[in-house]
Amino acid sequence: MNNIVIVYCHPYQKSLNHAVLEAVKDNLAQHKIPYETIDLYRDKFQPFYDLEELRLFHTGETHDPLVTKYLELLKNAQGIIFITPIWWNSIPGMLKGFIDKVMKEGEGLSHTVSKYGIHGCLTNLTHAYVLTTSTSPTFYFRLFMGNAIKKIFISKTLKQLGIKRGTWINFGNVTNSSLTKREKHLKKIQKYPFQF
């Protein structure tokens, strides 16, 4: 079990997020690190509960085959890399729906719930990297907009699932960025020393 799961959340193949995805794949391939990619939009993942899915939630079951597939990938990986834009100061609804639906409660699933709170079971995922882009500059997002990726998504949500270490890398001010700056960021990602 030494493969990495990439969770990619963007609908547009010419986006900077897609270029980041390709840079991450190049990086992992250069280091001979096997990986699996979950492309939520390409897979046409339905990020919402229907009544049947909600009924099955507390039994740890699902009627969505993608949920089963994704959870198996996560349970057999060593690390995870999220690639996503920041929309309205947080993760997009598609990625939130991935967390909502795939993270099933139950023995051998993503977590269990006791009277003391949530116990994360995805401890095999030793490190999560969250690679984002944002319209706001990174410093503005950190200081004035609540820093939700670091404070909530990494330090609370992922930690509750059993992932103890998380690193956030953001490319801010994306709308007004130059081609040179974007290329520099992609080169940084291609050479980044991911550690799992």
Side-chain angles (χ1 to χ4, degrees):
M1 179 176 54
N2 61 355
N3 62 304
I4 305 305
V5 171
I6 302 169
V7 179
Y8 174 63
C9 181
H10 202 286
Y12 184 45
Q13 289 201 343
K14 293 185 179 179
S15 67
L16 180 59
N17 283 269
H18 195 271
V20 168
L21 171 65
E22 294 304 317
V24 167
K25 288 179 177 180
D26 288 346
N27 183 317
L28 297 177
Q30 286 173 25
H31 292 92
K32 296 183 172 41
I33 299 173
Y35 63 87
E36 298 275 355
T37 303
I38 294 173
D39 186 332
L40 296 172
Y41 282 94
R42 185 191 63 202
D43 290 351
K44 294 181 171 50
F45 177 66
Q46 303 255 343
F48 53 85
Y49 281 101
D50 57 25
L51 285 174
E52 179 64 10
E53 190 75 15
L54 189 61
R55 186 184 69 79
L56 294 169
F57 175 78
H58 289 295
T59 64
E61 298 175 271
T62 182
H63 70 87
D64 186 338
L66 283 176
V67 169
T68 303
K69 175 185 173 183
Y70 293 165
L71 188 53
E72 283 304 307
L73 288 174
L74 294 176
K75 284 164 39 180
N76 290 291
Q78 183 177 348
I80 188 166
I81 301 173
F82 294 93
I83 301 171
T84 180
I86 296 172
W87 288 344
W88 290 105
N89 307 306
S90 188
I91 59 175
M94 177 67 92
L95 185 53
K96 178 66 167 63
F98 171 83
I99 300 293
D100 287 345
K101 280 183 70 177
V102 175
M103 303 310 169
K104 295 289 186 182
E105 175 188 347
E107 194 66 36
L109 298 177
S110 73
H111 66 284
T112 57
V113 179
S114 71
K115 62 182 179 180
Y116 301 109
I118 293 174
H119 172 72
C121 299
L122 292 176
T123 54
N124 53 292
L125 298 173
T126 59
H127 202 131
Y129 289 89
V130 183
L131 279 51
T132 58
T133 59
S134 64
T135 303
S136 298
T138 303
F139 79 89
Y140 186 79
F141 188 81
R142 283 183 192 274
L143 298 177
F144 302 107
M145 301 307 290
N147 201 9
I149 301 300
K150 183 68 176 170
K151 288 185 176 179
I152 302 299
F153 187 59
I154 293 176
S155 298
K156 298 291 186 282
T157 303
L158 297 183
K159 193 170 184 181
Q160 280 187 309
L161 293 170
I163 308 169
K164 292 185 173 60
R165 291 185 298 144
T167 300
W168 176 41
I169 303 169
N170 185 53
F171 184 86
N173 204 19
V174 64
T175 307
N176 299 310
S177 63
S178 66
L179 177 60
T180 301
K181 190 173 180 183
R182 293 194 296 271
E183 287 176 342
K184 184 178 178 182
H185 180 70
L186 293 173
K187 286 178 182 173
K188 172 187 171 183
I189 298 300
Q190 279 180 320
K191 296 179 179 178
Y192 190 85
F194 293 109
Q195 307 236 339
F196 299 99

